[in-house]
Amino acid sequence: MSVRLFQNRWLELMTFMPMKIFLPFWALILTLVVYNTLPMPTGQFLEMVFLGFLVWSVIEYLGHRFLFHLELKSAFGQHLIFVIHGNHHDLPSDPLRNMLPLNVTVPIAAALWFGAVSLFHQNGKAIFLGFLLGYVGYDFIHYACHQFPMKKWPFFRLLHRHHMLHHYANPDRNFAVTAIFWDRICGTKSEKRRPS
């Protein structure tokens, strides 16, 4: 069951992102980006991919903290934020809304690809690859936090606990999902425990 966002059936369908579409689509895109980026000297490639991943981590934190939790006064603004993220807080276990839909991410990814390549040429391709790896990892881990117990591996258990505190103990803390060090650096790490 999902929170209804639009009366129009087609608009509503465009807000869903099932895992069976997410994984193959982004696996194909990542493969094409890697193919298009190589050959490149290994050290330079790794540095640029890391830089892109680091840029993603900043965007992940800032986007969640300042856009997704923006408090607007107008009815339109409140509805917009509810469509963007508020519905996820109302029903966090909805598997169709744990990841951003392609009609949002594909145009942004295309603009970032062309921007990165125009500005940084071959390096831009590797930077974009790191950014995209960060995004895909973020969305997959966010999905897993809500759909899987994530108890087997300590690192994933830590990410799961961190995000669940954001949802169930303190929504004004723990904005990062994958790069949780940003919450510590920016003073937004929750010290609360999840209520039992």
Side-chain angles (χ1 to χ4, degrees), residues 132-148:
L132 191 59
L133 284 168
Y135 160 69
V136 171
Y138 154 81
D139 245 359
F140 184 80
I141 287 172
H142 183 248
Y143 179 90
C145 281
H146 291 287
Q147 303 304 322
F148 306 127

Side-chain angles (χ1 to χ4, degrees), residues 127-181:
I127 292 168
F128 176 81
L129 175 61
F131 188 93
L132 191 59
L133 284 168
Y135 160 69
V136 171
Y138 154 81
D139 245 359
F140 184 80
I141 287 172
H142 183 248
Y143 179 90
C145 281
H146 291 287
Q147 303 304 322
F148 306 127
M150 297 179 73
K151 292 179 182 174
K152 273 189 176 179
W153 299 287
F155 177 68
F156 291 110
R157 186 169 58 241
L158 175 68
L159 295 180
H160 180 264
R161 180 182 180 282
H162 186 85
H163 190 57
M164 292 303 103
L165 284 170
H166 171 73
H167 274 278
Y168 299 106
N170 195 344
D172 295 326
R173 296 277 187 247
N174 289 15
F175 295 104
V177 174
T178 56
I180 62 176
F181 57 86

Side-chain angles (χ1 to χ4, degrees), residues 24-68:
F25 179 84
W26 288 112
L28 173 64
I29 298 300
L30 284 168
T31 301
L32 292 172
V33 172
V34 168
Y35 177 78
N36 200 273
T37 303
L38 299 174
M40 193 175 179
T42 305
Q44 180 183 354
F45 173 78
L46 293 175
E47 285 174 11
M48 294 301 107
V49 168
F50 178 76
L51 177 60
F53 187 82
L54 190 60
V55 170
W56 162 257
S57 74
V58 172
I59 297 299
E60 173 192 323
Y61 176 82
L62 294 177
H64 191 184
R65 181 176 179 183
F66 295 108
L67 174 62
F68 290 3

Side-chain angles (χ1 to χ4, degrees), residues 4 12 41 66 74 77 85 94 164 168 176 185 194:
R4 186 87 188 192
E12 186 71 7
F66 295 108
S74 72
H85 189 65
D94 182 352
M164 292 303 103
Y168 299 106
I185 290 169
R194 183 176 171 183

Side-chain angles (χ1 to χ4, degrees), residues 118-132:
S118 297
L119 289 171
F120 305 110
H121 310 291
Q122 194 68 11
N123 281 345
K125 294 177 181 180
I127 292 168
F128 176 81
L129 175 61
F131 188 93
L132 191 59

